[in-house]
Amino acid sequence: MECLVEACLRHDEQACQRLYDVYAPKMLGVCLRYAHDRDAAQDMLHDGFIKVFDNLGTLKNPAQLGGWMRRVMVNTALNALRSIRETTSLDDPEVTNIPLVVNYDKYDTERILQAIQRLPEQYRAVFNLYEIEGYSHAEIGEKLGLKENSVRSILSRAKQKLVKDLGERNNY
């Protein structure tokens, strides 16, 4: 991987294309979890790769390229969400008193991804940062400019909406 990174830093077009080809599918998966549809995810991916190539020289350890790129994509997605921030009421009557337990194993990955994509922007961002990326409530609050208690509430509402969505669609 070190040779590939070095070649990209020399602006070797073939190396840059190879880096893109190797990592784009996985990074698109990251973007899809934050975007409301595939087109928005493609835009995030494109913007993310521009940042990757512009900042590749800051990567200290080429062995950590995948993790570093993932952080770049998450931050790019969050920036995109901030620019189109959707105001979402935390007092959504549709999701009160719904249990937060769901057996994700009984649903295919595509169905879960679609349910996540249907979440409001802020719910989707908080859910992904906590459940998938592993950030703490405090870290999410810092990244999104929210109080820690707000993050907890938004996460709870996001889970409730997912349970409701997956449950209702399971009845068809």
Side-chain angles (χ1 to χ4, degrees):
M1 202 49 58
E2 190 171 340
C3 293
L4 184 61
V5 170
E6 288 174 8
C8 288
L9 289 171
R10 290 191 309 270
H11 304 289
D12 178 325
E13 287 183 31
Q14 288 181 336
C16 292
Q17 185 63 50
R18 172 126 172 80
L19 181 84
Y20 180 86
D21 291 343
V22 167
Y23 285 96
K26 190 171 194 172
M27 295 303 123
L28 180 60
V30 171
C31 295
L32 279 167
R33 288 193 305 269
Y34 289 90
H36 63 279
D37 63 22
R38 191 168 194 82
D39 289 337
Q42 289 282 7
D43 290 343
M44 290 174 185
L45 180 72
H46 178 267
D47 293 346
F49 266 102
I50 289 172
K51 290 176 185 176
V52 163
F53 288 120
D54 285 348
N55 295 293
L56 199 55
T58 66
L59 178 64
K60 293 180 173 120
N61 183 354
Q64 297 176 338
L65 178 64
W68 177 79
M69 286 179 67
R70 181 184 183 92
R71 285 189 300 279
V72 170
M73 294 299 163
V74 168
N75 288 331
T76 300
L78 292 176
N79 287 337
L81 294 178
R82 271 189 218 105
S83 70
I84 56 171
R85 180 168 251 158
E86 182 176 289
T87 57
T88 306
S89 171
L90 296 180
D91 299 321
D92 189 343
E94 289 183 29
V95 295
T96 55
N97 299 322
I98 296 173
L100 293 180
V101 178
V102 63
N103 180 4
Y104 293 108
D105 294 335
K106 72 180 189 178
Y107 303 106
D108 65 72
T109 304
E110 185 61 29
R111 181 150 172 221
I112 294 169
L113 178 59
Q114 289 171 355
I116 291 170
Q117 288 175 329
R118 285 189 291 271
L119 288 172
E121 303 286 342
Q122 195 174 47
Y123 286 21
R124 188 169 54 245
V126 169
F127 178 83
N128 283 317
L129 287 169
Y130 186 81
E131 292 292 334
I132 297 170
E133 305 299 336
Y135 286 97
S136 70
H137 295 107
E139 291 169 322
I140 295 168
E142 188 176 309
K143 280 187 165 297
L144 299 179
L146 299 168
K147 293 182 179 179
E148 191 172 336
N149 285 339
S150 295
V151 171
R152 289 178 194 279
S153 182
I154 291 167
L155 179 61
S156 174
R157 299 292 180 169
K159 287 179 179 180
Q160 289 173 343
K161 279 188 172 287
L162 276 176
V163 168
K164 183 173 189 260
D165 188 12
L166 289 170
E168 280 184 358
R169 294 179 191 287
N170 193 36
N171 294 331
Y172 297 131

